[in-house]
Amino acid sequence: MIRAYKFLLRPTVGQQQALTEMLRDHCSLYNGALQERRDAWRHVSGTTVRYGEQSAQLKEIRAFDPECQGRWSFSSQQATLRRLDRAFAAFFRRVTSGGKPGYPRFRGVNRFDTVDFPRDGDGCRWDSTPHGPVTRVRFQGVGHVRVHRYRPVVGRVKTISVKREGKRWYVVLTAEQARPGPLPATGSVVGIDMGIASFLADSDGGFVPSPRHGRKAAAKLEAAQQALSRCKRGSKRRRKAVETVARLHRKVRRQRLDHAHKTTLDLVREHDFIAHEDLRIRNMVKAPAPKPDPDRPGAFLPNGAAAKAGLNRSISDAGWGVFLTILHAKAESAGREVIAVDPRNTSRTCPACGHVAAENRPTQDTFHCTGCGHQAHADTVGAVNVLRAGLARRNARPG
Ligand SMILES: [Zn+2]
């Protein structure tokens, strides 16, 4: 299983200069090789120059130009020539298929933004200072560049690329990960109840708190969206505001993913069987409850409370959607069973005596059975009922 990572680089001024020169020289190599192929193509003999021939000239080119081409990794230069080769292969494919061919074009130095290193350790080294306090990546001719590594890289690094996007530099890695095999059985089953105050409650009485950053990010995103709606169309300010919204969205998405990966991993490790509420049914039946007005008994708050709850809801719903997708994928590769159950009545049914009543839940957090007096946290009760419904469904299945 190959996984890709992309991290921001924090080069020094000198390293930025070197990276820029590295791009420039790879670009000129690309254009030079393209020129050679064009000339050969136009020549009366109509010969074709191939990758092998161009790659064989590299040694000479490097020796001839030690100040520029000679500085960089041989392998990254080969990768650049191979990129050109792929462009030509695609061109010839279009010619034979009768499509609009579009001859490969020269690249302006600003349009050439990536240098590839096909193998870690060959002209580049990921985590080149493993005992230092920060992660660095070394590129031949550039040095050890600081990496903003916001999450660990799992598996063995295969390829490394350096990429310029606007004023920023990124390193893109691919890493080979062992496909996880089935986990040993634990004999444990669990039900989960997805909430807002807690991200989820489980049937053993445990809670996973909502991602701490979630609410803060939501508030920032809301403010950014409002700022965006006030900007004039086509203005520079608007473009900036669009960027801000996109950046915050990316951040929320990343945090949500990290949280989901961690939470699902714990569940799948500990339990053979996991039951959860069916999110689609849940969204149909559990509309946000109207808030009672504390000053006027029997009346409800007319203000933005419901709308606010709606926004928070939609954000946490998106979080659960991601969470469940990852849970199902992880469970499958680990050989665990996951079942979605109808969530209706799971919050009002007493797990001790089976009494079903809305009054069993006097407040959002508490469950107090009017039949037998059983007391527990309402979300734990929900999770116990989800587990029961899941086990009942599993046992009812033929086979
Ligand atoms: Zn009861």
Side-chain angles (χ1 to χ4, degrees):
M1 188 164 53
I2 299 280
R3 190 154 162 208
Y5 296 86
K6 181 177 175 185
F7 300 120
L8 184 66
L9 291 175
R10 303 203 189 282
T12 63
V13 175
Q15 288 171 340
Q16 265 184 62
Q17 175 72 24
L19 285 168
T20 307
E21 287 167 10
M22 181 167 82
L23 269 190
R24 182 200 64 198
D25 291 344
H26 280 74
C27 176
S28 99
L29 180 70
Y30 184 94
N31 286 337
L34 172 56
Q35 180 73 55
E36 190 189 25
R37 289 195 182 215
R38 281 179 100 130
D39 292 347
W41 179 251
R42 290 218 187 101
H43 192 262
V44 277
S45 63
T47 44
T48 321
V49 181
R50 291 177 198 287
Y51 165 75
E53 296 154 74
Q54 296 200 308
S55 174
Q57 298 173 48
L58 263 182
K59 208 172 154 189
E60 220 174 302
I61 293 170
R62 292 166 59 88
F64 184 74
D65 187 9
E67 299 291 305
C68 294
Q69 298 296 352
R71 284 166 73 189
W72 315 116
S73 152
F74 196 92
S75 298
S76 68
Q77 291 172 323
Q78 281 183 317
T80 297
L81 293 178
R82 238 178 259 122
R83 203 191 305 170
L84 175 69
D85 198 52
R86 280 197 299 276
F88 267 92
F91 163 67
F92 288 125
R93 236 189 346 265
R94 289 192 296 269
V95 170
T96 21
S97 68
K100 213 171 156 227
Y103 199 84
R105 288 194 213 173
F106 293 105
R107 302 273 197 95
V109 77
N110 289 323
R111 295 287 307 278
F112 193 93
D113 52 20
T114 307
V115 171
D116 299 315
F117 297 84
R119 212 157 50 81
D120 183 21
D122 184 357
C124 64
R125 169 68 73 192
W126 170 249
D127 201 9
S128 56
T129 52
H131 302 296
V134 294
T135 305
R136 293 171 196 271
V137 59
R138 192 188 75 84
F139 299 109
Q140 182 177 331
V142 178
H144 302 268
V145 185
R146 281 181 70 151
V147 179
H148 179 62
R149 186 184 57 76
Y150 62 87
R151 63 168 171 186
V153 173
V154 183
R156 203 164 63 81
V157 172
K158 306 277 282 181
T159 69
I160 299 180
S161 300
V162 59
K163 190 165 195 287
R164 183 180 57 196
E165 282 181 23
K167 284 178 185 158
R168 296 180 168 205
W169 295 89
Y170 292 90
V171 60
V172 181
L173 311 172
T174 59
E176 171 104 67
Q177 293 175 8
R179 196 171 270 287
L183 294 173
T186 62
S188 170
V189 295
V190 75
I192 54 179
D193 178 277
M194 295 174 284
I196 291 179
S198 297
F199 183 74
L200 65 83
D202 67 37
S203 50
D204 301 329
F207 293 88
V208 173
S210 282
R212 203 160 26 87
H213 39 72
R215 200 144 300 170
K216 221 166 99 190
K220 270 191 187 166
L221 191 55
E222 198 184 357
Q225 251 151 359
Q226 274 166 6
L228 173 62
S229 68
R230 285 192 300 265
C231 292
K232 261 210 209 89
R233 251 174 205 298
S235 66
K236 194 173 168 189
R237 261 188 54 207
R238 187 185 163 81
R239 222 173 35 241
K240 277 218 151 140
V242 167
E243 252 171 54
T244 307
V245 168
R247 188 175 37 108
L248 288 170
H249 266 296
R250 272 199 302 275
K251 186 168 176 182
V252 168
R253 207 159 47 225
R254 201 179 67 214
Q255 290 174 334
R256 186 180 282 157
L257 264 178
D258 287 349
H259 183 261
H261 272 292
K262 206 178 147 306
T263 312
T264 53
L265 191 63
D266 289 345
L267 282 169
V268 164
R269 272 195 188 134
E270 282 170 39
H271 309 285
D272 296 343
F273 175 87
I274 302 158
H276 66 82
E277 302 155 281
D278 188 322
L279 214 55
R280 279 166 309 176
I281 302 177
R282 183 197 159 97
N283 288 348
M284 278 187 288
V285 297
K286 286 194 182 166
K291 291 216 161 157
D293 187 337
D295 300 329
R296 291 181 301 149
F300 295 96
L301 287 171
N303 60 18
K308 195 97 188 160
L311 177 77
N312 283 338
R313 278 279 315 229
S314 68
I315 286 168
S316 44
D317 280 358
W320 293 324
V322 168
F323 165 79
L324 289 177
T325 307
I326 294 175
L327 176 65
H328 278 259
K330 273 208 172 68
E332 190 177 0
S333 62
R336 305 302 206 205
E337 192 176 4
V338 179
I339 275 187
V341 302
D342 186 338
R344 270 171 284 199
N345 288 337
T346 51
S347 61
R348 319 186 264 189
T349 307
C350 174
C353 73
H355 179 56
V356 183
E359 292 75 35
N360 283 350
R361 192 172 180 174
T363 71
Q364 183 69 25
D365 289 347
T366 52
F367 185 93
H368 192 167
C369 179
T370 55
C372 73
H374 177 73
Q375 280 190 47
H377 193 289
D379 294 341
T380 307
V381 167
V384 168
N385 287 324
V386 165
L387 173 58
R388 288 205 178 161
L391 289 172
R393 259 197 65 191
R394 180 175 74 167
N395 297 338
R397 246 186 346 220

